[in-house]
Amino acid sequence: MMSVAKDSASEKRDTGTLGKLMVLLDLVTHAEGPMRFTDILAVADQPRGTLHRQLSHLVEEGLLEIDADGRYSPGFRLLDLASRSWARNEFRLVSEPHLKALQGLTGETVHLGVLRGTAIIYLDKVEGQQPVRMYSQIGNASPVYCTGVGKAALSILPRERVEALVADIVFHRFTANTHTAASLLAEIEDIRKQGYAFDREEHEVGIRCVAAPIWSENLSLVGGVSVTGPAYRLTMERLSEWSGPIQETAKRIMEAMRIGLGPRR
Amino acid sequence: MMSVAKDSASEKRDTGTLGKLMVLLDLVTHAEGPMRFTDILAVADQPRGTLHRQLSHLVEEGLLEIDADGRYSPGFRLLDLASRSWARNEFRLVSEPHLKALQGLTGETVHLGVLRGTAIIYLDKVEGQQPVRMYSQIGNASPVYCTGVGKAALSILPRERVEALVADIVFHRFTANTHTAASLLAEIEDIRKQGYAFDREEHEVGIRCVAAPIWSENLSLVGGVSVTGPAYRLTMERLSEWSGPIQETAKRIMEAMRIGLGPRR
DNA sequence: AATAAAGTTCCAAATAATAGAACACGCGAA
DNA sequence: TTCGCGTGTTCTATTATTTGGAACTTTATT
């Protein structure tokens, strides 16, 4: 049964059988921990028999695992797929040297992220000394509205697309500085003019960042670079000083991407 | 009575529509670089119209990306799914402190891996000083027959299951020491008695390791830990000395896993 | 042992996927 | 320009898969 049509924002995906399976996969991967059959049955809108077959298929393909107690968890196949995906990603490969250079210049942590839906997915992270915990950040999806990269990315989208996107967001107040829909839209306008964005402890108290947008001509790729660090070290003055270098880095990455694509076609 | 055993090699997966889509996903993620529609058409055994719809669905779900030139690459959604999967993985979480301890003791790189099909998927890696390149190893799938963890894992499977698995493998000769089916089966027997496995430069010249198996009672989880390093530093004598500690680490992880599951059920 | 809860299997009916052809599009050559 | 050709996209009757509901089996609880 169809409920009342959601307004504009509601993306209606028509991916048939795959779509239904992805809903389940999302359910399990977003859960706190392993889910039992009945747990899933309660939230997935499917008859028991159907759900059972769907889960079996996901398990057989390695996208889900089922333990001895019949609890479902994300499967190891996802790691394999993702590691290949990451290793070969052109955007990441092209950006890498530029991220390192920026890290060297600032001494702080540098991130590379792309926009997907209303989230920023981090593709790379370059830290200074201490060993990096793998997957600690890479692959992570963070909300657009409280990350520097997210706001920078939004700033290069056409206004109507930003509005449509913002309408889809459910705003969670992480800190006292976290944006609301209205304040976000307002700041995007400023960022559009400036060419760079700050995160003034909007996601986590004590964490600030500067970010610059990166985009392809047709906007099929929209993301950004950022320099992040603790507020006590990264004063707003210092962040401002870095707005130049970070925009420069973004520019170089875009040029490098075009070179990659340019000559051949 | 059971039906006649399927001939070892012929794993016929019956995952309907999902199975067909996963074949495509594998195709694209295993490729050298982005694939054009026609490239995929040539290898995927599907009519043009059908393939087109399947790819569209995968793109719409974010499992694949299509660039301006119509070339398909793995999608960012995979990273998101995998990062969650990794972050919450119980086996990895439980093992982490033990891996660190082993790293501290040996000073060399420690790996945690699980068996999936005929591959070992690395779940974690603990290195000494230098910053780790993310995803560099984690999520990677390596052949069972030329990794310490792989051989250790096989050694705890019942003989007939090992034989069935080995029949599925296509052996690639990476180094002069790489196993063949026969030599692998023979060594598995030894490892079974010993309780630990070596990799004597069987995957990469100049790289050796010791590994011990880790398994759950019902064998739903089979994997291992290993200590890896350059041959000039890791003499076979030294590796032998570490066979004790590494088995001890494996044992502690297995105990910790049981504690996790034990009391509640 | 009896009862309830959880999980699995089955099959006619509904729905989505398929195959094949026809339709667009871009591009280089005549 | 027009033609041909390689690519990619859309359409539709046919076919195969998925669905839903119930019956059935197994596992926990009283």
Side-chain angles (χ1 to χ4, degrees), chain A residues 99-108 110 126:
Chain A
L99 303 182
K100 281 184 174 158
L102 187 61
Q103 198 287 320
L105 178 74
T106 61
E108 298 291 343
V110 172
V126 182

Side-chain angles (χ1 to χ4, degrees), chain A residues 210-225:
Chain A
V210 222
I214 297 175
W215 67 97
S216 66
E217 293 193 42
N218 62 353
L219 299 188
S220 64
L221 178 69
V222 179
V225 237

Side-chain angles (χ1 to χ4, degrees), chain A residues 15 26 31 61 88 132 134, chain B residues 15 31 61 77 88 132 134:
Chain A
T15 50
D26 263 344
E61 287 294 342
R88 286 174 169 70
V132 171
M134 307 218 180
Chain B
T15 50
E61 288 294 342
R77 176 91 170 278
R88 287 177 170 70
V132 171
M134 307 219 179

Side-chain angles (χ1 to χ4, degrees), chain B residues 6-12 164 167-168:
Chain B
K6 273 257 179 85
D7 204 323
S8 45
S10 73
E11 281 252 357
K12 187 76 136 290
D168 266 351

Side-chain angles (χ1 to χ4, degrees), chain A residues 1-263:
Chain A
M1 203 69 31
M2 203 61 267
S3 55
V4 180
K6 279 227 165 158
D7 62 34
S8 56
S10 75
E11 287 242 4
K12 183 79 135 289
R13 267 202 285 243
D14 181 27
T15 50
T17 306
L18 178 61
K20 295 165 201 160
L21 292 174
M22 290 307 291
V23 168
L24 295 179
L25 195 53
D26 263 344
L27 238 166
V28 175
T29 49
H30 284 81
E32 293 292 322
M35 295 181 83
R36 296 224 309 297
F37 181 84
T38 320
D39 303 333
I40 304 176
L41 185 63
V43 281
D45 186 25
Q46 297 282 14
R48 299 150 66 87
T50 300
L51 181 64
H52 186 261
R53 179 183 40 76
Q54 291 170 328
L55 291 174
S56 302
H57 283 181
L58 288 168
V59 168
E60 198 160 350
E61 287 294 342
L63 298 174
L64 291 180
E65 305 274 332
I66 179 168
D67 66 23
D69 304 333
R71 302 178 311 170
Y72 293 87
S73 314
F76 296 124
R77 169 95 92 107
L78 292 168
L79 291 183
D80 179 34
L81 289 168
S83 90
R84 282 179 212 286
S85 155
W86 186 82
R88 286 174 169 70
N89 185 266
E90 191 188 355
F91 181 39
R92 197 210 108 238
L93 286 166
V94 166
S95 303
E96 195 171 319
H98 303 283
L99 303 182
K100 281 184 174 158
L102 187 61
Q103 198 287 320
L105 178 74
T106 61
E108 298 291 343
T109 301
V110 172
H111 285 276
L112 179 74
V114 289
L115 180 67
R116 257 211 80 72
T118 65
I120 288 293
I121 294 183
Y122 287 108
L123 281 188
D124 214 339
K125 176 183 185 178
V126 182
E127 274 185 304
Q129 18 279 16
Q130 67 275 45
V132 171
R133 201 81 272 270
M134 307 218 180
Y135 277 82
S136 66
Q137 194 70 238
I138 291 184
N140 247 31
S142 300
V144 250
Y145 60 88
C146 54
T147 60
V149 172
K151 295 190 293 180
L154 289 185
S155 79
I156 61 96
L157 291 181
R159 201 161 285 125
E160 63 275 15
R161 235 179 106 185
V162 175
E163 279 159 11
L165 251 168
V166 169
D168 263 351
I169 300 177
V170 271
F171 286 79
H172 177 72
R173 195 172 179 77
F174 294 102
T175 75
N177 293 349
T178 303
H179 275 292
T180 61
S183 67
L184 176 64
L185 286 172
E187 198 194 349
I188 298 298
E189 291 305 314
D190 296 339
I191 296 169
R192 210 192 298 274
K193 284 169 217 147
Q194 281 176 175
Y196 58 90
F198 292 121
D199 166 359
R200 299 165 225 255
E201 312 186 42
E202 295 157 33
H203 193 11
E204 203 171 327
V205 174
I207 301 290
R208 294 204 184 111
C209 92
V210 222
I214 297 175
W215 67 97
S216 66
E217 293 193 42
N218 62 353
L219 299 188
S220 64
L221 178 69
V222 179
V225 237
S226 69
V227 175
T228 313
Y232 70 85
R233 209 158 55 203
L234 274 65
T235 59
M236 290 309 292
E237 287 74 35
R238 175 166 282 193
L239 282 186
S240 295
E241 286 164 21
W242 287 340
S243 65
I246 208 174
Q247 285 181 91
E248 187 59 30
T249 300
K251 195 179 139 215
R252 291 211 191 101
I253 291 174
M254 287 190 274
E255 277 162 6
M257 288 291 285
R258 300 232 170 73
I259 285 163
L261 300 172

